[in-house]
Amino acid sequence: MDESDAVEIAYDTVLPALQPATMAQIRGLLARQGLDPEAEVDTFCVGRQGQRVLACAGLAHDVVKCTAIAPAAQGLGVLERLMTELTYAALDRGVSHLFLYTSLANEEKFLACGFHRIVAVPDEAQRPDGGAGAAGVVFMENSRAGITKWTEELSYYRRQRPKVGAVVVNCNPFTLGHRYLLQQAAQDCDYLHVFVVSEDASFFSYADRLALVRAGVAELPERDRIHVHPGSRYLVSKATFPTYFLKDAAVVQQASTAVDLRIFREHIAPSLGITHRYVGTEPFCAVTRAYNADMHRWLEQAHGDHDPVRVVEVERVAHEGRAISATQVRRRIIEGRLAGLDRLVPAATYAFIIATYGTPEDKARATAATTAASARAYASAGVGFAASAYARPGA
């Protein structure tokens, strides 16, 4: 194929669920280049010559995936056209900010398509034996100012203190375990930044999780030294760390773990002057336990000009001999066992759960159990306490 053949390549959009015949060709193209189609990809842009698919690139919300170009079509500007078509497809859905992973060997090609590096992970750092390999990974975005603009906004909250901590939490929902972690961290450092993961892939919505964390922090004596930040696509999201949300994966992919932690160390920590990152010990989830172990490696070990961030693991607080977990709380909600849940979650979380998931009997029991104590507290503050405290506002 020569340059003149490039004009014969037509580009269009493919919806996997509606075009099985084209998807069979896409799967074949990906397989020949050692790739598998990912179920999360809901749109492909393809380059065809006649009915033959020569190139493809997929879009999973704002992440570019499954890009492949047949050898016969390489060097003809096909990648640039694919990225242009994919950008238009994303804009049609209101998405203008795109991310992608690629190998370091392909970075120049995507730079030419308008993408910019966020972080890179050399291959020798990915391998458990520390040996050199074929290619590292680079994480990119199609905005020159993307992460720089975000970290500049973060820097408004910087506090010039000797020991500044950070905690990244999902809080699905916020439990007494999370509250214990934040309180221990706040007592150990001079100022604490708390980030709530913004990916809406949990039992509790992001808006509800963020609100419950803020309500829980507001109850702490250390609240004036804690700032709760909304999450970001740059922090434990499907863009930076896709396997975090695949709980059936036995092992966390080293590359995505490293990308997520390098973003924290190279961009987030410097903007806020963070010196320590706190995390709870993980007795249950293999994915989270592996992530904790990787934190020591990627945040503490010497790495270029970036200052290390010390990782502090806080022993999980237990109730009746078992570490309190959000999983335990969710299981009880699903099973309808809300009685006694106030021993696992703070008052605000408990009120939210009862108002949202409780039966009339749960609400009556919760109200009866707390009315007396709450009435005393509210009376001292000159505020009335309604018997309908466990009715969710707006419900």
Side-chain angles (χ1 to χ4, degrees), residues 52-320:
R52 181 188 173 199
V53 173
L54 292 175
C56 67
L59 191 63
H61 183 54
D62 59 356
V63 183
V64 178
K65 295 185 173 184
C66 299
T67 300
I69 300 174
Q74 292 180 5
L76 301 176
V78 174
L79 180 62
E80 289 87 342
R81 284 294 308 273
L82 275 180
M83 291 301 106
T84 300
E85 296 295 327
L86 209 60
T87 300
Y88 288 144
L91 286 172
D92 284 343
R93 295 187 290 180
V95 177
S96 60
H97 194 179
L98 298 180
F99 301 90
L100 67 82
Y101 282 96
T102 189
S103 68
L104 277 169
N106 287 328
E107 181 178 12
E108 289 294 331
K109 298 175 183 175
F110 284 99
L111 287 171
C113 295
F115 283 81
H116 305 271
R117 176 192 286 197
I118 300 175
V119 289
V121 181
D123 187 55
E124 63 274 16
Q126 295 176 39
R127 293 177 48 173
D129 62 4
V137 170
V138 61
F139 181 56
M140 310 179 78
E141 61 183 336
N142 68 339
S143 169
R144 183 182 297 277
I147 195 165
T148 302
K149 180 180 178 184
W150 181 61
T151 52
E152 285 178 353
E153 293 170 355
L154 278 183
S155 66
Y156 295 144
Y157 300 97
R158 183 181 180 118
R159 299 292 185 274
Q160 297 296 340
R161 310 284 171 78
K163 191 173 184 180
V164 177
V167 179
V168 180
V169 287
N170 192 34
C171 292
N172 184 33
F174 188 64
T175 69
L176 291 178
H178 296 118
R179 188 175 75 174
Y180 178 79
L181 169 63
L182 300 190
Q183 195 159 21
Q184 293 298 305
Q187 292 174 359
D188 188 60
C189 63
D190 301 305
Y191 197 83
L192 182 67
H193 296 278
V194 178
F195 294 91
V196 181
V197 172
S198 62
E199 195 76 45
D200 240 336
S202 299
F203 186 94
F204 289 82
S205 72
Y206 166 63
D208 289 340
R209 289 186 289 107
L210 179 61
L212 292 177
V213 172
R214 284 177 164 160
V217 168
E219 296 176 343
L220 297 179
E222 301 84 0
R223 58 185 174 275
D224 291 340
R225 294 189 293 105
I226 302 176
H227 186 90
V228 179
H229 298 266
S232 162
R233 294 294 281 163
Y234 299 106
L235 196 68
V236 190
S237 72
K238 286 183 178 177
T240 66
F241 192 12
T243 52
Y244 182 89
F245 298 94
L246 301 176
K247 294 299 186 183
D248 58 338
V251 180
V252 176
Q253 292 180 7
Q254 287 289 321
S256 54
T257 304
V259 164
D260 185 79
L261 292 170
R262 282 206 168 196
I263 290 174
F264 183 86
R265 181 169 178 177
E266 296 178 18
H267 296 279
I268 300 172
S271 69
L272 291 169
I274 293 169
T275 59
H276 290 65
R277 181 159 164 178
Y278 298 85
V279 63
T281 55
E282 179 51 61
F284 303 121
C285 176
V287 172
T288 304
R289 191 161 56 244
Y291 183 74
N292 286 358
D294 285 342
M295 288 175 67
H296 289 283
R297 176 184 181 188
W298 293 109
L299 298 183
E300 293 182 329
Q301 293 181 9
H303 165 57
D305 297 330
H306 303 286
D307 291 335
V309 176
R310 184 183 171 191
V311 177
V312 181
E313 293 195 57
V314 178
E315 191 70 28
R316 294 269 290 268
V317 67
H319 173 68
E320 296 181 344

